[in-house]
Amino acid sequence: MEERRYDVKILLIGHGRWGSKLRERLDVLLGTENVGLYDSDPAKLEGFSERLRDIAWADACVIATPPSSHCIIAARCLDAGKPVLVEKPLCLSSSETHYLTNIASKRGLTLMCDDTWMYHDRCKGLLQRKENLLVARFKWKNPRISPSQEGILWTLGPHVISLMLEGFKDKPVKVEGEITPRLASISYRFKKGDAHVMLSWDIKERERGFELLWSDGHETSFDDRKDVPTEEPIVKMLKTFLEYAGR
């Protein structure tokens, strides 16, 4: 990983599966002395107790806690005057999202969601054509034994929806489908096209990709098992946040 030091102290709140991945990258980008940690479960900080910090110590905060806690923790960080990066999904309701964006706007602070697939150059690049997108089919599948607490749409869906909106450059006029604890099949109607999204945990190996048809007849596809980014998306995403946080 490329090393570039930023003059920012980050408090990482939440050191579970995703939080530990963020910490590894932040340690390289900032140095361990500039990455403080906090987790309500002391067991998750075993071996890192000397890096326990609070909000007052930090210049900015990164939140990687369960989604149900995102709003209240992010609001506290914003109220303390800190730029905030939140693990997806940002919140679990539009009212919570508006609440946070209003705080950030009034205080002139950065509020960012770690939508890593928007930083996958190969993935996002395929969606940035001047022609109109007519048809899009997304498959986002990941093996999982137990359903997530927030549900499959909130766990797997945010990335897909961001990519879909990037391609159509519009909001859907109609949405319909079926959602079960382990599967979601959803159709989206846009003014100039249609999209279908399939989300599943009933699969042995991870599968994430899409197929696109454009108004000029051009067809494109993406498969994350084959299409390798030039830079790790999580690192590119963190660098973007650090640029904003360091201003």
Side-chain angles (χ1 to χ4, degrees), residues 115-128 133 136 138-140 156-170 190 195 197 208-210 212 214 222 224:
D115 196 350
T116 51
W117 286 93
M118 293 298 287
Y119 295 88
H120 190 301
D121 53 357
R122 168 66 177 164
C123 180
K124 187 177 179 180
L126 291 172
L127 295 161
Q128 296 178 323
L133 181 57
F138 294 86
K139 292 182 180 180
W140 231 250
L156 296 181
H159 292 313
V160 179
I161 293 173
S162 291
L163 294 170
M164 178 177 64
L165 296 178
E166 179 73 18
F168 283 98
K169 299 176 178 59
D170 197 3
F190 291 84
V197 172
R208 300 186 181 185
F210 53 75
L212 311 173
W214 301 86
F222 171 80
D224 81 320

Side-chain angles (χ1 to χ4, degrees), residues 63 65-75 86-91 100:
I63 299 170
T65 59
S68 59
S69 66
H70 285 179
C71 183
I72 189 170
I73 296 175
V86 185
E87 175 190 10
K88 62 86 183 169
L90 179 63
C91 297
L100 290 183

Side-chain angles (χ1 to χ4, degrees), residues 102-121:
N102 285 337
I103 297 176
S105 178
K106 289 179 180 178
R107 290 182 170 271
L109 295 169
T110 295
L111 173 63
M112 178 175 160
C113 186
D114 78 341
D115 196 350
T116 51
W117 286 93
M118 293 298 287
Y119 295 88
H120 190 301
D121 53 357

Side-chain angles (χ1 to χ4, degrees), residues 38-186:
Y38 178 82
D39 197 293
S40 59
D41 182 0
K44 292 182 179 179
L45 293 179
E46 185 175 351
F48 297 93
S49 58
E50 76 284 357
R51 294 171 63 178
L52 184 64
R53 299 289 187 272
D54 60 18
I55 292 177
W57 170 87
D59 298 314
C61 299
V62 175
I63 299 170
T65 59
S68 59
S69 66
H70 285 179
C71 183
I72 189 170
I73 296 175
R76 182 181 175 188
C77 296
L78 291 168
D79 283 336
K82 312 298 181 181
V84 177
L85 170 66
V86 185
E87 175 190 10
K88 62 86 183 169
L90 179 63
C91 297
L92 293 179
S93 71
S94 57
S95 60
E96 288 184 340
T97 300
H98 290 312
Y99 174 65
L100 290 183
T101 55
N102 285 337
I103 297 176
S105 178
K106 289 179 180 178
R107 290 182 170 271
L109 295 169
T110 295
L111 173 63
M112 178 175 160
C113 186
D114 78 341
D115 196 350
T116 51
W117 286 93
M118 293 298 287
Y119 295 88
H120 190 301
D121 53 357
R122 168 66 177 164
C123 180
K124 187 177 179 180
L126 291 172
L127 295 161
Q128 296 178 323
R129 302 185 79 241
K130 62 180 181 180
E131 291 78 16
N132 293 322
L133 181 57
L134 298 181
V135 179
R137 300 186 184 280
F138 294 86
K139 292 182 180 180
W140 231 250
K141 303 179 180 182
N142 208 55
R144 187 176 181 131
I145 297 175
S146 301
S148 63
Q149 183 178 2
E150 65 272 15
I152 191 169
L153 184 60
W154 288 105
T155 303
L156 296 181
H159 292 313
V160 179
I161 293 173
S162 291
L163 294 170
M164 178 177 64
L165 296 178
E166 179 73 18
F168 283 98
K169 299 176 178 59
D170 197 3
K171 296 179 180 179
V173 296
K174 184 179 181 179
V175 180
E176 59 183 359
E178 180 180 0
I179 302 175
T180 70
R182 303 191 60 82
L183 180 72
S185 178
I186 309 172

Side-chain angles (χ1 to χ4, degrees), residues 204-227:
K204 293 182 179 180
E205 296 182 1
R206 166 172 150 156
E207 178 184 347
R208 300 186 181 185
F210 53 75
E211 297 175 346
L212 311 173
L213 175 62
W214 301 86
S215 57
D216 61 352
H218 187 69
E219 297 182 11
T220 55
S221 63
F222 171 80
D223 184 338
D224 81 320
R225 295 167 295 184
K226 301 176 183 178
D227 296 310

